[in-house]
């Protein structure tokens, strides 16, 4: 009996110790790590099942946020088309909550913030907590290898660039569009460009259309494609050296809720630019090329990159060749500009000329977007957060943007949606955005003329 009592007491003590041990674990605050999970303890099927469980709900929440903020119905210009022939979207598309464009500018930033009515808050990613690269249907329909099982693209196609953007080369302006109306991939790049490029540029282009492993597109259990993937190519997003509206989360910021959604920028005109990335401000196109595959492809997580099979380019040849090709991608030709990069008065319309005058005068756009390429090759903090509260919206913190690169405006009608995260769907929205952010108080005809000017840039 005594023996049994002793045993029972021992057992109880052990139980208490175990329970306390467990509880002390549960009390440990959860660490928010900078790193992603490298050593997965669950397999592909489980990871996929977990993602699929939340897919429909998150998509519903995201679409309801988009519908609250924007008019997503199709409105395009009948007569103004992008270089590849697609009609440009027309706005403003942002919805105003109980005010009008003429009324809202009468309020101070503080009043707009208090009322919570700023129409251009930071745009969250389709599933912000999840992130990754996300491709529009116009590319996944051609390249089904870019379909993610866990996430659908969010923006309507009419506010995206040409599906097959033209390619203009600084080296051969006489040829016009050299893409021959085709989407350049590994299947056709050689026959289209052999004889047109020097061997280094041709090899650079080959690398730009070759798939390399990426965070969601790779062979590990942690991928977001049904089948193991060889990865993505640079031109999967920078379609024909331009952009197809694919988007991503910026790699530089933590924690996740503070990361910016980023729209793929065009690579046209990188030769005249001196800073690369909306925030990173890398100093050369070579640096960006190297960094894009080494780090940005893996959310800025070098440990994850090593696991998923990062392809490290050789700097002296491969990086240099890729950069050499990118540096001959020209802005689309514009017939209305003189050699100083201003409008040719004999060719421009009255509205375009008046728009240019506002751009250089009352609008003060020129103080950052200087001719001939309409960039100052610098960065600016527009302090848009003066107009909205620091609060969560659809998994994203509505925080400051900070300093952002002045993107060049040449050929700008070809690359909606605008601003680093795509929060402005049309040029009309951009003008309303700056009208608010700069507190310009532009009259309606002034805004219309400014849009007319942006359309011919
Ligand atoms: C999501 C699809 C995607 C893929 C694939 C991709 N990029 Fe990008 N690229 C982006 C985005 C988004 C940015 C903007 C980055 C930022 O704001 O920090 C960018 C920026 C750039 C820039 C700087 C442009 C500028 O105006 O500042 C260069 C150069 C570039 N990418 C080259 C490449 C190369 C080379 C590859 C292949 C190794 C590649 N990209 C693959 C989306 C992509
Ligand atoms: C203080 C500097 C500054 C002024 C003034 C300014 N901009 Fe900008 N502009 C920027 C910066 C910086 C960006 C990038 C902002 C971002 O992505 O968050 C930008 C982005 C843009 C874009 C979108 C580019 C793209 O590729 O998405 C357009 C269009 C534009 N500006 C037009 C204008 C017009 C029109 C005006 C005058 C009404 C103007 N800007 C005034 C600095 C400025």
């Amino acid at each position: 009996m005594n023996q049994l009592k002793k045993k029972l007491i021992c057992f109880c003590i052990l139980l208490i110790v175990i329970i306390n041990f467990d509880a002390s674990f549960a009390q440990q605050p959860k660490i928010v790590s900078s790193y992603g999970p490298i050593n997965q303890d669950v397999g592909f099927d489980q990871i996929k099942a977990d993602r699929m469980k939340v897919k429909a709900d998150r998509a519903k929440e995201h679409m309801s946020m988009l519908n609250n903020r924007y008019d997503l119905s199709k409105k395009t210009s009948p007569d103004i088309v992008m270089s590849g022939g697609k009609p440009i979207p027309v706005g403003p598309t942002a919805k105003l909550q109980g005010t009008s464009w003429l009324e809202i500018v009468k309020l101070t930033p503080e009043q707009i913030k208090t009322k919570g009515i700023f129409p251009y808050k930071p745009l969250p990613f389709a599933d912000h907590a999840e992130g990754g690269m996300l491709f529009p249907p116009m590319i996944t329909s051609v390249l089904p290898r870019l379909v993610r099982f866990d996430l659908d693209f969010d923006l309507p196609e009419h506010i995206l660039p040409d599906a097959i953007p033209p390619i203009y080369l600084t080296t051969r302006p006489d040829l016009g569009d050299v893409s021959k109306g085709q989407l350049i991939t590994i299947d056709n790049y050689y026959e289209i460009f052999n004889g047109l490029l020097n061997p280094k540029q041709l090899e650079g282009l080959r690398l730009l259309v070759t798939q390399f492993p990426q965070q969601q597109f790779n062979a590990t259990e942690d991928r977001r494609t049904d089948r193991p993937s060889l990865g993505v190519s640079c031109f999967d997003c920078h379609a024909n050296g331009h952009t197809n509206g694919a988007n991503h989360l910026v790699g530089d910021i933590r924690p996740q809720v503070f990361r910016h959604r980023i729209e793929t920028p065009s690579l046209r005109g990188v030769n005249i630019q001196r800073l690369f990335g909306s925030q990173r401000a890398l100093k050369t196109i070579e640096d960006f090329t190297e960094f894009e595959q080494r780090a940005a492809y893996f959310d800025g997580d070098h440990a994850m990159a090593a696991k998923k099979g990062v392809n490290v380019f050789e700097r002296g040849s491969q990086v240099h060749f890729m950069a050499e090709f990118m540096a001959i991608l020209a802005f689309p030709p514009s017939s209305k500009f003189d050699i100083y990069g201003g409008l040719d008065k004999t060719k421009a319309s009255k509205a375009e000329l008046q728009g240019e005058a506002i751009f250089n005068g009352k609008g003060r756009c020129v103080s950052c977007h200087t001719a001939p390429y309409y960039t100052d090759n610098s960065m600016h903090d527009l302090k848009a957060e003066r107009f909205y509260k620091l609060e969560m919206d659809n998994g994203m913190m509505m925080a400051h943007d900070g300093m952002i690169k002045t993107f060049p405006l040449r050929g700008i009608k070809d690359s909606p949606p605008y601003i680093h995260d795509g929060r402005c769907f049309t040029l009309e929205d951009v003008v309303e955005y700056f009208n608010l952010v700069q507190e310009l108080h532009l009259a309606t005809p002034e805004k219309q003329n400014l849009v007319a000017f942006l359309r011919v840039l």
Side-chain angles (χ1 to χ4, degrees):
M1 194 62 200
N2 237 355
Q3 271 300 76
L4 198 70
K5 230 181 188 172
K6 262 191 195 160
K7 269 188 186 162
L8 212 70
I9 290 167
C10 270
F11 178 75
C12 286
I13 292 172
L14 199 72
L15 210 70
I16 290 164
V17 168
I18 288 173
I19 288 169
N20 274 344
F21 188 66
D22 247 23
S24 71
F25 250 119
Q27 279 161 16
Q28 295 279 327
K30 217 177 149 226
I31 295 171
V32 181
S33 176
S34 292
Y35 289 87
I38 303 290
N39 190 14
Q40 286 287 355
D41 49 8
V42 276
F44 174 78
D45 290 340
Q46 188 57 50
I47 293 175
K48 179 172 174 182
D50 290 346
R51 289 290 301 136
M52 297 310 278
K53 247 187 258 162
V54 297
K55 180 178 179 177
D57 283 348
R58 298 240 181 116
K60 213 170 123 198
E61 278 165 34
H62 185 72
M63 287 318 293
S64 111
M65 179 273 303
L66 280 182
N67 276 307
N68 272 335
R69 288 199 194 181
Y70 300 99
D71 175 358
L72 298 176
S73 65
K74 185 170 176 177
K75 291 195 190 70
T76 54
S77 160
D79 45 352
I80 313 287
V81 295
M82 299 178 204
S83 306
K86 181 172 177 173
I88 66 164
V90 175
T93 58
K95 286 183 183 167
L96 291 171
Q97 317 291 339
T99 178
S100 70
W101 292 112
L102 291 176
E103 288 304 313
I104 192 169
V105 289
K106 292 181 190 154
L107 304 176
T108 63
E110 198 52 45
Q111 285 169 326
I112 293 175
K113 182 178 181 169
T114 312
K115 286 173 180 271
I117 55 169
F118 187 60
Y120 299 109
K121 288 192 291 184
L123 188 61
F125 185 74
D127 178 344
H128 207 85
E130 177 62 14
M133 286 189 175
L134 190 58
F135 299 86
M138 69 189 189
I139 185 91
T140 54
S141 59
V142 188
L143 304 173
R145 62 179 170 78
L146 294 174
V147 172
R148 278 176 71 163
F149 60 71
D150 67 329
L151 212 48
D152 295 331
F153 193 78
D154 54 349
L155 303 181
E157 186 151 318
H158 70 272
I159 60 154
L160 302 182
D162 282 308
I164 304 178
I167 304 179
Y168 307 99
L169 299 181
T170 57
T171 46
R172 295 296 305 274
D174 54 305
L175 295 176
D177 172 18
V178 294
S179 74
K180 300 203 171 131
Q182 294 187 53
L183 189 71
I184 305 304
T185 66
I186 193 79
D187 291 334
N188 60 13
Y189 88 95
Y190 193 83
E191 72 181 77
I192 293 177
F193 285 90
N194 186 28
L196 207 59
L197 302 177
N198 80 15
K200 286 198 292 177
Q201 295 155 353
L202 194 59
E203 172 61 1
L205 178 57
R206 182 186 71 79
L207 291 163
L208 289 163
V209 292
T210 299
Q211 290 167 254
F212 296 111
Q214 185 271 348
Q215 185 77 301
Q216 286 75 29
F217 299 83
N218 60 76
T220 70
E221 69 281 87
D222 183 36
R223 65 180 186 271
R224 296 293 186 264
T225 54
D226 272 322
R227 287 169 47 78
S229 162
L230 286 176
V232 301
S233 83
C234 307
F235 272 28
D236 287 346
C237 295
H238 299 283
N240 283 8
H242 184 51
T243 163
N244 56 22
N247 57 72
H248 197 193
L249 280 187
V250 84
D252 315 333
I253 307 174
R254 292 294 187 280
Q256 184 84 355
V257 292
F258 278 86
R259 291 172 71 181
H260 299 170
R261 172 187 177 128
I262 42 172
E263 297 293 315
T264 306
S266 180
L267 298 178
R268 292 169 177 171
V270 286
N271 59 335
I272 59 87
Q273 297 180 56
R274 297 291 168 266
L275 295 178
F276 299 97
S278 54
Q279 301 173 284
R280 279 297 297 263
L282 296 186
K283 300 302 177 287
T284 68
I285 181 84
E286 285 83 359
D287 291 335
F288 203 95
T289 301
E290 195 173 355
F291 150 82
E292 184 84 292
Q293 154 67 184
R294 274 199 188 206
Y297 265 35
F298 302 95
D299 288 324
D301 186 337
H302 61 105
M304 191 62 92
K307 174 182 176 182
K308 293 187 175 176
V310 60
N311 181 77
V312 176
F313 296 124
E314 201 276 310
R315 174 89 184 193
S317 57
Q318 297 180 312
V319 171
H320 171 70
F321 296 164
M322 292 162 86
E324 195 156 315
F325 177 80
M326 286 186 269
I328 60 169
L329 290 166
F331 291 118
S334 179
S335 55
K336 295 200 172 176
F337 285 82
D338 61 23
I339 59 165
Y340 308 101
L343 280 178
D344 181 334
K345 289 181 183 46
T346 61
K347 293 181 181 154
S349 74
K350 212 173 139 199
E352 289 155 9
L353 285 166
Q354 282 175 354
E356 183 183 40
I358 298 191
F359 191 93
N360 294 329
K362 185 175 173 185
R364 297 182 66 183
C365 318
V366 71
S367 54
C368 304
H369 299 280
T370 44
Y373 306 109
Y374 296 86
T375 174
D376 56 0
N377 265 307
S378 185
M379 306 178 80
H380 298 275
D381 188 350
L382 299 171
K383 298 190 165 58
E385 72 275 9
R386 285 170 290 152
F387 295 85
Y388 52 82
K389 294 176 200 141
L390 185 78
E391 61 190 7
M392 289 290 285
D393 190 355
N394 251 66
M396 184 188 184
M397 187 63 82
M398 299 293 102
H400 50 273
D401 296 320
M403 287 165 73
I404 305 278
K405 155 178 171 165
T406 315
F407 287 97
L409 302 184
R410 277 283 288 106
I412 193 68
K413 74 173 182 331
D414 279 11
S415 51
Y418 302 105
I419 306 300
H420 67 275
D421 57 5
R423 70 182 71 168
C424 294
F425 291 175
T426 66
L427 291 173
E428 286 83 356
D429 286 291
V430 171
V431 168
E432 296 296 354
Y433 181 65
F434 281 99
N435 194 32
L436 282 165
V437 167
Q438 293 179 262
E439 302 178 69
L440 290 175
H441 303 280
L442 295 176
T444 305
E446 291 175 322
K447 292 193 272 191
Q448 287 163 346
N449 292 338
L450 200 47
V451 169
F453 175 65
L454 293 173
R455 285 176 168 188
V456 292
L457 266 172

